[in-house]
Amino acid sequence: MNWLKLHIVPYLIVLLSMVFLGATTSDSYALSIEISGHTKIQGNMFIGLYRKNDAFPEKSGTYKNTIQKVSNTKLTYTFYALPKDTYAIAVFHDQNGNGILDKNLVGVPVERYGFSNNVRGVFSAPSFKEASIKLDENISMKIFIR
């Protein structure tokens, strides 16, 4: 039995060290977003997080997303445990709760929306590059929707 202990204990120490060191050197970050600019306290806020190869800013093409109930004129949400990468954010205020960004007959949104870096496209949504943010530390940002 002593022979078994002498041979297994070093392997257990190495295994536990690898697990511990792997957990402590992992690069994961938090991205906190404060959204303001919505004037009606009703409906939901859709928040989409995108990577370079995702379908930015399509709702169905997100890397991660959340839908938060609007209960104040400012809404804060944090994405946790994100790997180091370049991301973009698209948000819209779904006032009527139908799950889509409503548009008028010519395709112009009638509900408020916004993007990271507070960029706006002229006749369409901004590009991923214009809205992109490099996440290599914990970040807090503000997005004003209009």
Side-chain angles (χ1 to χ4, degrees), residues 18-85:
M18 289 171 56
V19 169
F20 177 73
L21 290 174
T24 59
T25 60
S26 172
D27 290 334
S28 68
Y29 304 100
L31 175 57
S32 295
I33 306 148
E34 180 185 290
I35 302 164
S36 62
H38 46 288
T39 56
K40 296 184 179 179
I41 310 301
Q42 65 187 52
N44 300 310
M45 191 70 66
F46 172 82
I47 307 168
L49 180 67
Y50 303 81
R51 297 168 300 180
K52 183 178 182 180
N53 292 325
D54 296 330
F56 177 80
E58 298 298 320
K59 182 180 176 190
S60 61
T62 62
Y63 168 58
K64 294 185 181 226
N65 66 65
T66 185
I67 298 172
Q68 300 291 309
K69 182 157 183 60
V70 174
S71 59
N72 203 328
T73 57
K74 286 188 180 176
L75 186 144
T76 302
Y77 184 79
T78 303
F79 288 101
Y80 291 100
L82 295 173
K84 178 181 177 179
D85 205 343

Coordinates of all heavy atoms in Angstrom, one line a residue, residues 18-85:
M18 N -2.1 21.4 -12.4 CA -2.5 21.7 -13.8 C -3.9 22.3 -13.8 O -4.2 23.3 -14.5 CB -2.4 20.5 -14.7 CG -1.0 20.0 -15.0 SD -0.9 18.5 -15.9 CE -1.9 18.8 -17.3
V19 N -4.8 21.7 -13.0 CA -6.2 22.2 -12.9 C -6.2 23.6 -12.3 O -6.8 24.5 -12.8 CB -7.1 21.2 -12.1 CG1 -8.4 21.9 -11.8 CG2 -7.2 19.9 -12.9
F20 N -5.4 23.8 -11.2 CA -5.4 25.1 -10.6 C -4.8 26.1 -11.5 O -5.3 27.2 -11.6 CB -4.6 25.0 -9.2 CG -4.5 26.3 -8.5 CD1 -5.6 26.9 -7.9 CD2 -3.3 26.9 -8.5 CE1 -5.5 28.1 -7.3 CE2 -3.2 28.2 -7.9 CZ -4.3 28.7 -7.3
L21 N -3.6 25.8 -12.0 CA -3.0 26.8 -12.9 C -3.8 27.1 -14.1 O -3.8 28.3 -14.6 CB -1.6 26.3 -13.3 CG -0.5 26.3 -12.2 CD1 0.8 25.7 -12.6 CD2 -0.3 27.7 -11.6
G22 N -4.4 26.1 -14.7 CA -5.3 26.4 -15.9 C -6.4 27.3 -15.5 O -6.8 28.2 -16.3
A23 N -7.0 27.2 -14.3 CA -8.1 28.1 -13.9 C -7.6 29.5 -13.7 O -8.4 30.4 -13.9 CB -8.8 27.5 -12.7
T24 N -6.4 29.6 -13.2 CA -6.0 31.0 -12.8 C -5.4 31.7 -14.0 O -5.3 32.9 -14.0 CB -4.9 30.9 -11.7 OG1 -3.8 30.1 -12.1 CG2 -5.5 30.4 -10.4
T25 N -5.0 31.1 -15.1 CA -4.4 31.8 -16.2 C -5.4 32.0 -17.3 O -5.1 32.5 -18.4 CB -3.2 31.0 -16.8 OG1 -3.6 29.7 -17.2 CG2 -2.1 30.9 -15.7
S26 N -6.6 31.6 -17.1 CA -7.7 31.7 -18.1 C -8.0 33.2 -18.3 O -8.1 34.0 -17.4 CB -8.9 31.0 -17.7 OG -10.0 31.3 -18.5
D27 N -8.0 33.6 -19.6 CA -8.4 35.0 -19.9 C -9.9 35.1 -20.1 O -10.4 34.8 -21.2 CB -7.6 35.4 -21.2 CG -6.1 35.6 -20.9 OD1 -5.7 35.8 -19.8 OD2 -5.4 35.4 -21.9
S28 N -10.6 35.6 -19.1 CA -12.0 35.9 -19.3 C -12.3 37.2 -18.6 O -11.7 37.5 -17.6 CB -12.9 34.7 -18.7 OG -12.8 34.7 -17.3
Y29 N -13.2 37.9 -19.3 CA -13.5 39.3 -18.8 C -15.0 39.6 -18.8 O -15.8 38.8 -19.3 CB -12.8 40.3 -19.8 CG -11.3 40.0 -20.0 CD1 -10.9 39.3 -21.1 CD2 -10.4 40.5 -19.1 CE1 -9.5 39.0 -21.2 CE2 -9.1 40.2 -19.2 CZ -8.6 39.5 -20.3 OH -7.3 39.2 -20.4
A30 N -15.3 40.7 -18.1 CA -16.7 41.1 -18.0 C -16.9 42.3 -18.9 O -16.0 43.2 -19.0 CB -17.0 41.4 -16.6
L31 N -18.0 42.4 -19.5 CA -18.4 43.6 -20.4 C -19.7 44.1 -19.8 O -20.8 43.5 -20.0 CB -18.5 43.2 -21.8 CG -19.0 44.2 -22.8 CD1 -18.1 45.4 -22.8 CD2 -19.0 43.6 -24.2
S32 N -19.7 45.3 -19.2 CA -20.9 45.9 -18.6 C -21.4 47.0 -19.5 O -20.6 47.8 -20.0 CB -20.6 46.5 -17.2 OG -20.3 45.5 -16.3
I33 N -22.7 47.0 -19.8 CA -23.3 47.9 -20.7 C -24.4 48.7 -19.9 O -25.3 48.1 -19.3 CB -23.9 47.2 -21.9 CG1 -22.9 46.3 -22.5 CG2 -24.5 48.2 -22.9 CD1 -23.4 45.1 -23.1
E34 N -24.3 50.0 -20.0 CA -25.4 50.8 -19.5 C -26.1 51.5 -20.7 O -25.5 52.1 -21.5 CB -24.9 52.0 -18.6 CG -26.0 52.8 -18.0 CD -25.4 54.0 -17.2 OE1 -24.9 53.8 -16.1 OE2 -25.5 55.2 -17.7
I35 N -27.4 51.2 -20.7 CA -28.2 51.7 -21.9 C -29.2 52.7 -21.4 O -29.9 52.6 -20.4 CB -29.0 50.5 -22.5 CG1 -28.1 49.4 -22.9 CG2 -29.9 51.0 -23.7 CD1 -28.8 48.1 -23.2
S36 N -29.2 53.9 -22.1 CA -30.1 55.0 -21.8 C -30.6 55.5 -23.1 O -30.2 55.1 -24.2 CB -29.4 56.0 -21.0 OG -28.3 56.6 -21.7
G37 N -31.6 56.4 -23.0 CA -32.2 57.0 -24.2 C -33.6 56.6 -24.4 O -34.3 57.2 -25.3
H38 N -34.0 55.5 -23.8 CA -35.4 55.1 -23.9 C -36.3 55.9 -23.0 O -36.0 56.2 -21.9 CB -35.6 53.6 -23.7 CG -34.9 53.1 -22.4 ND1 -33.5 52.9 -22.3 CD2 -35.4 52.7 -21.2 CE1 -33.3 52.5 -21.1 NE2 -34.4 52.3 -20.4
T39 N -37.4 56.4 -23.6 CA -38.3 57.3 -22.9 C -39.5 56.7 -22.3 O -40.1 57.2 -21.5 CB -38.7 58.5 -23.9 OG1 -39.3 57.9 -25.0 CG2 -37.5 59.3 -24.3
K40 N -39.8 55.5 -22.8 CA -41.0 54.7 -22.3 C -40.5 53.6 -21.4 O -39.7 52.8 -21.8 CB -41.8 54.3 -23.4 CG -42.4 55.4 -24.2 CD -43.4 54.9 -25.3 CE -43.9 56.2 -26.0 NZ -44.8 55.8 -27.1
I41 N -41.1 53.5 -20.2 CA -40.8 52.4 -19.3 C -41.8 51.3 -19.6 O -42.8 51.1 -18.8 CB -40.9 52.9 -17.8 CG1 -40.1 54.2 -17.6 CG2 -40.4 51.8 -16.9 CD1 -38.6 54.1 -18.0
Q42 N -41.5 50.5 -20.6 CA -42.4 49.4 -21.0 C -41.6 48.5 -21.9 O -40.6 48.9 -22.5 CB -43.6 49.9 -21.7 CG -43.3 50.6 -23.1 CD -44.6 51.2 -23.7 OE1 -45.3 52.0 -23.0 NE2 -44.8 50.9 -24.9
G43 N -42.1 47.3 -22.1 CA -41.5 46.3 -23.0 C -40.1 45.8 -22.5 O -39.9 45.8 -21.3
N44 N -39.3 45.4 -23.5 CA -38.1 44.7 -23.2 C -36.9 45.4 -24.0 O -37.1 46.0 -25.0 CB -38.1 43.3 -23.7 CG -39.2 42.5 -22.9 OD1 -39.3 42.6 -21.7 ND2 -40.0 41.8 -23.7
M45 N -35.7 45.2 -23.5 CA -34.5 45.6 -24.2 C -33.8 44.4 -24.7 O -33.4 43.5 -23.9 CB -33.6 46.4 -23.3 CG -32.5 47.1 -23.9 SD -33.0 48.5 -24.9 CE -33.6 49.7 -23.7
F46 N -33.5 44.3 -26.0 CA -32.7 43.2 -26.6 C -31.3 43.7 -26.6 O -31.0 44.8 -27.1 CB -33.2 42.9 -28.0 CG -32.3 41.9 -28.7 CD1 -32.4 40.5 -28.4 CD2 -31.4 42.3 -29.5 CE1 -31.6 39.6 -29.0 CE2 -30.5 41.4 -30.2 CZ -30.6 40.1 -29.9
I47 N -30.4 42.9 -26.1 CA -29.0 43.2 -26.1 C -28.2 42.0 -26.8 O -28.3 40.9 -26.3 CB -28.4 43.4 -24.7 CG1 -29.2 44.4 -23.9 CG2 -26.9 43.8 -24.7 CD1 -28.9 44.5 -22.4
G48 N -27.6 42.3 -27.9 CA -26.9 41.3 -28.6 C -25.4 41.5 -28.7 O -25.0 42.7 -28.9
L49 N -24.7 40.5 -28.4 CA -23.2 40.5 -28.4 C -22.7 39.7 -29.6 O -23.1 38.6 -29.8 CB -22.6 40.0 -27.1 CG -21.1 39.9 -27.0 CD1 -20.6 41.4 -26.9 CD2 -20.8 39.1 -25.7
Y50 N -21.8 40.3 -30.4 CA -21.4 39.7 -31.7 C -19.9 39.6 -31.7 O -19.2 40.5 -31.2 CB -21.9 40.5 -32.9 CG -23.3 40.7 -32.9 CD1 -24.0 41.7 -32.1 CD2 -24.1 39.9 -33.7 CE1 -25.3 41.9 -32.2 CE2 -25.5 40.1 -33.8 CZ -26.1 41.1 -33.0 OH -27.5 41.3 -33.0
R51 N -19.4 38.6 -32.4 CA -18.0 38.5 -32.7 C -17.8 38.8 -34.2 O -18.8 38.9 -34.9 CB -17.4 37.1 -32.4 CG -17.5 36.7 -31.0 CD -17.2 35.3 -30.7 NE -18.3 34.5 -31.4 CZ -18.4 33.2 -31.5 NH1 -17.5 32.5 -30.9 NH2 -19.3 32.6 -32.1
K52 N -16.6 38.8 -34.7 CA -16.3 39.2 -36.1 C -17.1 38.4 -37.1 O -17.6 39.0 -38.1 CB -14.8 39.2 -36.4 CG -14.5 39.6 -37.8 CD -13.0 39.6 -38.0 CE -12.7 40.2 -39.4 NZ -11.3 40.2 -39.7
N53 N -17.2 37.1 -36.9 CA -17.8 36.3 -37.9 C -19.3 36.0 -37.7 O -19.9 35.2 -38.4 CB -17.1 34.9 -38.1 CG -15.7 35.1 -38.7 OD1 -15.5 36.0 -39.5 ND2 -14.7 34.4 -38.2
D54 N -19.9 36.6 -36.7 CA -21.3 36.5 -36.4 C -22.1 37.5 -37.4 O -21.5 38.3 -38.0 CB -21.6 36.9 -35.0 CG -21.0 35.9 -34.0 OD1 -20.8 34.7 -34.4 OD2 -20.7 36.3 -32.9
A55 N -23.4 37.3 -37.4 CA -24.2 38.1 -38.4 C -24.6 39.4 -37.8 O -25.8 39.6 -37.5 CB -25.4 37.3 -38.8
F56 N -23.6 40.3 -37.5 CA -23.9 41.6 -36.9 C -24.7 42.4 -37.9 O -24.4 42.5 -39.1 CB -22.6 42.3 -36.6 CG -22.7 43.7 -36.0 CD1 -23.1 43.9 -34.7 CD2 -22.6 44.8 -36.9 CE1 -23.2 45.2 -34.2 CE2 -22.7 46.1 -36.4 CZ -23.0 46.3 -35.0
P57 N -25.7 43.1 -37.5 CA -26.4 43.2 -36.2 C -27.7 42.4 -36.2 O -28.6 42.8 -35.5 CB -26.7 44.7 -36.1 CG -27.0 45.1 -37.5 CD -26.2 44.2 -38.4
E58 N -27.8 41.3 -36.9 CA -29.0 40.5 -37.0 C -29.3 39.9 -35.6 O -28.4 39.3 -35.0 CB -28.9 39.4 -38.0 CG -28.8 40.0 -39.4 CD -30.0 40.8 -39.9 OE1 -31.1 40.4 -39.6 OE2 -29.7 41.8 -40.5
K59 N -30.5 39.9 -35.2 CA -30.9 39.4 -33.9 C -30.6 37.9 -33.8 O -30.2 37.4 -32.8 CB -32.4 39.6 -33.6 CG -32.9 39.1 -32.3 CD -34.4 39.3 -32.1 CE -34.8 38.7 -30.8 NZ -36.2 38.7 -30.6
S60 N -30.8 37.2 -34.9 CA -30.6 35.7 -34.9 C -29.1 35.3 -35.0 O -28.8 34.2 -34.9 CB -31.4 35.1 -36.0 OG -31.0 35.6 -37.3
G61 N -28.2 36.3 -35.3 CA -26.8 36.0 -35.5 C -25.9 36.3 -34.4 O -24.7 36.5 -34.6
T62 N -26.4 36.4 -33.1 CA -25.6 36.8 -32.0 C -24.7 35.7 -31.5 O -24.9 34.5 -31.7 CB -26.4 37.2 -30.8 OG1 -27.2 36.2 -30.4 CG2 -27.3 38.4 -31.2
Y63 N -23.6 36.1 -30.9 CA -22.7 35.1 -30.1 C -23.4 34.8 -28.8 O -23.6 33.7 -28.4 CB -21.4 35.8 -29.9 CG -20.5 35.1 -28.9 CD1 -20.1 33.7 -29.1 CD2 -20.0 35.7 -27.8 CE1 -19.3 33.1 -28.2 CE2 -19.1 35.1 -26.9 CZ -18.8 33.8 -27.1 OH -18.0 33.2 -26.2
K64 N -23.9 35.9 -28.1 CA -24.7 35.8 -26.9 C -25.7 36.9 -26.9 O -25.5 38.0 -27.5 CB -23.8 36.0 -25.6 CG -22.8 34.9 -25.4 CD -22.1 35.0 -24.1 CE -21.1 33.9 -24.0 NZ -21.1 33.3 -22.7
N65 N -26.8 36.7 -26.2 CA -27.8 37.8 -26.2 C -28.6 37.6 -24.9 O -28.6 36.6 -24.3 CB -28.7 37.9 -27.4 CG -29.5 36.6 -27.6 OD1 -30.4 36.4 -26.8 ND2 -29.3 35.9 -28.6
T66 N -29.4 38.7 -24.6 CA -30.3 38.7 -23.5 C -31.4 39.6 -23.8 O -31.3 40.5 -24.6 CB -29.6 39.1 -22.2 OG1 -30.5 39.0 -21.1 CG2 -29.1 40.5 -22.2
I67 N -32.5 39.3 -23.1 CA -33.7 40.2 -23.2 C -34.0 40.6 -21.8 O -34.3 39.7 -20.9 CB -34.9 39.5 -23.9 CG1 -34.6 39.1 -25.3 CG2 -36.2 40.4 -23.8 CD1 -35.6 38.2 -26.0
Q68 N -34.0 41.9 -21.5 CA -34.2 42.4 -20.2 C -35.4 43.3 -20.1 O -35.7 44.1 -21.1 CB -33.0 43.3 -19.7 CG -31.7 42.5 -19.7 CD -31.7 41.5 -18.6 OE1 -32.0 41.8 -17.4 NE2 -31.3 40.3 -18.9
K69 N -36.2 43.1 -19.1 CA -37.4 44.0 -18.9 C -37.0 45.4 -18.6 O -36.1 45.6 -17.8 CB -38.3 43.4 -17.8 CG -39.6 44.2 -17.6 CD -40.6 43.3 -16.9 CE -41.9 44.1 -16.7 NZ -42.5 44.5 -18.0
V70 N -37.7 46.3 -19.3 CA -37.4 47.8 -19.1 C -38.2 48.2 -17.9 O -39.5 48.2 -17.9 CB -37.7 48.6 -20.3 CG1 -37.6 50.1 -20.1 CG2 -36.8 48.2 -21.5
S71 N -37.5 48.6 -16.8 CA -38.2 49.1 -15.6 C -37.7 50.4 -15.1 O -38.1 50.9 -14.1 CB -38.1 48.0 -14.5 OG -36.8 47.8 -14.2
N72 N -36.8 51.1 -15.9 CA -36.2 52.3 -15.5 C -35.7 53.0 -16.8 O -35.7 52.4 -17.9 CB -35.1 52.1 -14.6 CG -34.7 53.2 -13.7 OD1 -34.9 54.4 -14.1 ND2 -34.3 53.0 -12.5
T73 N -35.3 54.3 -16.7 CA -34.8 55.0 -17.8 C -33.3 54.6 -18.1 O -32.8 55.0 -19.1 CB -34.9 56.5 -17.6 OG1 -34.2 56.9 -16.4 CG2 -36.3 56.9 -17.6
K74 N -32.7 53.9 -17.3 CA -31.4 53.3 -17.5 C -31.4 51.8 -17.2 O -32.0 51.4 -16.2 CB -30.3 54.0 -16.6 CG -30.0 55.4 -17.0 CD -28.8 55.9 -16.3 CE -28.6 57.4 -16.8 NZ -27.5 58.0 -16.0
L75 N -30.8 51.1 -18.1 CA -30.7 49.6 -17.9 C -29.2 49.2 -17.9 O -28.5 49.7 -18.8 CB -31.5 49.0 -19.0 CG -31.7 47.5 -18.9 CD1 -33.1 47.1 -19.4 CD2 -30.6 46.7 -19.7
T76 N -28.8 48.4 -17.0 CA -27.5 47.9 -17.0 C -27.5 46.4 -17.1 O -28.2 45.7 -16.4 CB -26.7 48.3 -15.7 OG1 -26.8 49.8 -15.6 CG2 -25.3 47.9 -15.7
Y77 N -26.6 45.9 -17.9 CA -26.4 44.4 -18.0 C -24.9 44.1 -18.2 O -24.2 44.9 -18.9 CB -27.2 43.9 -19.2 CG -27.1 42.4 -19.3 CD1 -27.9 41.6 -18.5 CD2 -26.2 41.7 -20.1 CE1 -27.8 40.2 -18.5 CE2 -26.1 40.3 -20.2 CZ -26.9 39.6 -19.3 OH -26.8 38.2 -19.4
T78 N -24.5 43.0 -17.6 CA -23.1 42.5 -17.8 C -23.0 41.1 -18.3 O -23.7 40.2 -17.9 CB -22.4 42.6 -16.4 OG1 -22.5 43.9 -15.8 CG2 -21.0 42.2 -16.5
F79 N -22.2 41.0 -19.4 CA -21.8 39.7 -19.9 C -20.6 39.3 -19.2 O -19.6 40.0 -19.1 CB -21.5 39.8 -21.4 CG -22.7 40.0 -22.3 CD1 -23.0 41.2 -22.8 CD2 -23.6 38.9 -22.6 CE1 -24.1 41.4 -23.6 CE2 -24.7 39.1 -23.4 CZ -25.0 40.3 -23.9
Y80 N -20.6 38.1 -18.5 CA -19.4 37.6 -17.8 C -18.7 36.5 -18.5 O -19.3 35.9 -19.4 CB -19.9 37.1 -16.4 CG -20.4 38.1 -15.5 CD1 -21.8 38.4 -15.3 CD2 -19.5 38.9 -14.7 CE1 -22.3 39.3 -14.5 CE2 -20.0 39.9 -13.9 CZ -21.4 40.1 -13.8 OH -21.8 41.1 -12.9
A81 N -17.5 36.3 -18.1 CA -16.6 35.2 -18.6 C -16.5 35.1 -20.1 O -16.6 34.1 -20.7 CB -17.2 33.8 -18.1
L82 N -16.2 36.3 -20.7 CA -16.0 36.4 -22.1 C -14.5 36.2 -22.4 O -13.7 36.8 -21.7 CB -16.5 37.8 -22.6 CG -18.0 38.1 -22.5 CD1 -18.2 39.5 -22.9 CD2 -18.8 37.1 -23.4
P83 N -14.2 35.5 -23.4 CA -12.8 35.3 -23.8 C -12.3 36.6 -24.4 O -13.1 37.4 -25.0 CB -12.8 34.2 -24.8 CG -14.2 34.0 -25.3 CD -15.1 34.6 -24.2
K84 N -11.0 36.8 -24.4 CA -10.4 37.9 -25.1 C -10.7 37.8 -26.5 O -10.5 36.8 -27.2 CB -8.9 37.9 -24.9 CG -8.1 38.9 -25.5 CD -6.6 38.8 -25.3 CE -5.8 39.8 -26.0 NZ -4.4 39.7 -25.7
D85 N -11.3 38.9 -27.1 CA -11.7 38.9 -28.5 C -12.2 40.3 -28.8 O -12.2 41.2 -28.0 CB -12.8 37.9 -28.7 CG -12.9 37.4 -30.1 OD1 -12.3 38.0 -31.0 OD2 -13.6 36.4 -30.3

